[in-house]
Structures are given as C-alpha cells and as structure tokens.
Amino acid sequence: MQRLAALSATPILQFELHQFEDLFAQKLDKYMTWRKYIDEEREAQLELLDSIREANQAFLVARSNHPLLQQREKALSNLETAVKRYREASFNLHDGARFYVSLESELQKLKDGCLDFAMARHLDALEQLGLSHGETPTDLAQAPEQASNAAMQQPNLVWDPTMPLKYTTPK
C-alpha cells in the first residue's frame, strides 16, 4: 500500500467503518418502511392462510356428512360392481360359447362314428345273410341259398353316408 501511495500524486486516506455508520443508518431508514410493510403483509397472509385452513376443515366435515355425497359414493360403488359383473358374465358367455362349439364338434364326431359303426354292422349282417346292398330276403328258406351264392360272388360294398340306413326284417 505504501508503495502505491508513493507512486500516486495524492495521499491515500484510510477509512474506518465507524465513520460511515450515520450514513448507513440514514440509507437503511429508507428501507424500513418497506420492511414494515412486508412484515404487515406476512402477518395478513398468515391470518388468511389460517382462515382458509379452518374453512377447508369445515368443508371436509360438512362434505363427509352430506347425504348427497353418500348417495354418490353408493352409486359409484354400485356402478363398479355392475361393471365387474358385466365383465364376469361376458367372460363366462365367451367361455360357454367355446365349450358348446367344442362339444358340438365332439358330438358330430361321435355321431359320425356311430353311423359308421351301424353301417358296418349292417353290411356285416347283409354279408352273413348273403344279400347284396338293398336286397331283402323274401323267404327265410331262400336265405341260406342266397348266402352261398353271395359268398361266391363277393359283392363290392361301399358305404355312402348320404344314403339312409335300411333295417329290414325277414317276412
């Protein structure tokens, strides 16, 4: 510092903080009115906040005891239950439809198997009697003779599913 003072044409003055205390106090007094205003506003805001909290608490108590709110809650609960039941019924409906479709196909297979079995037994019976498909014995006495003739001829019997089964009894 002394080196700087030697280079400069003017002397260096030393300043102490206490020399400016009056100036600082005077300048800070300008802001005291603003500080007082801010403190008053803070108090007013806190009072408003307290009154809002009290009003909200009263509103919550009144709302929880209000019959309209209870009806609304019950209606929402009923609606939720109805939606669950609808989804469950819809799922069960689709599941039942799948079951009956598979049951129908299985029953159709069983029916076809039964028809095949019945036709095979019918053809076996005709073969045992020695008759060709569509023939009926006119007399029981002729059946053994026809059976021996049919055994020699070996007819070509093929089942046709469009043709109905004929069950005939001898006369």
Side-chain angles (χ1 to χ4, degrees):
M1 265 278 243
Q2 290 178 355
R3 193 172 61 112
L4 266 172
L7 292 174
S8 140
T10 58
I12 294 182
L13 299 175
Q14 284 190 339
F15 296 105
E16 296 292 327
L17 197 56
H18 65 84
Q19 294 172 343
F20 298 102
E21 283 182 10
D22 292 337
L23 180 64
F24 288 150
Q26 183 184 16
K27 294 294 181 182
L28 286 175
D29 282 342
K30 290 180 186 177
Y31 297 104
M32 286 309 280
T33 56
W34 285 105
R35 180 144 179 107
K36 193 183 288 184
Y37 174 74
I38 290 172
D39 289 339
E40 290 171 1
E41 286 298 315
R42 180 181 296 139
E43 285 297 319
Q45 291 292 324
L46 289 174
E47 288 175 12
L48 279 172
L49 184 61
D50 287 340
S51 67
I52 288 172
R53 283 186 181 145
E54 288 173 11
N56 185 44
Q57 190 63 28
F59 172 72
L60 291 176
V61 168
R63 192 179 85 177
S64 66
N65 294 332
H66 198 274
L68 187 60
L69 180 68
Q70 292 171 352
Q71 288 175 348
R72 180 177 174 264
E73 291 295 325
K74 186 176 179 182
L76 288 175
S77 174
N78 289 342
L79 183 62
E80 185 178 346
T81 303
V83 167
K84 284 181 185 177
R85 287 183 182 170
Y86 169 77
R87 287 183 179 152
E88 183 180 338
S90 177
F91 174 77
N92 289 341
L93 180 66
H94 290 293
D95 194 36
R98 282 192 304 267
F99 170 76
Y100 283 111
V101 165
S102 67
L103 179 66
E104 180 183 19
S105 68
E106 293 299 319
L107 287 175
Q108 186 63 41
K109 288 177 188 175
L110 179 64
K111 178 183 170 187
D112 292 343
C114 290
L115 289 174
D116 289 344
F117 181 80
M119 180 54 91
R121 296 301 70 81
H122 179 70
L123 293 176
D124 286 346
L126 288 177
E127 186 178 310
Q128 292 291 325
L129 291 173
L131 301 174
S132 65
H133 189 67
E135 257 184 57
T136 59
T138 55
D139 189 2
L140 288 178
Q142 294 175 348
E145 184 181 310
Q146 290 175 352
S148 63
N149 291 340
M152 286 189 265
Q153 294 175 359
Q154 284 294 334
N156 185 13
L157 300 176
V158 178
W159 177 62
D160 182 9
T162 60
M163 184 176 206
L165 295 177
K166 294 181 184 178
Y167 298 100
T168 58
T169 56
K171 292 183 182 179

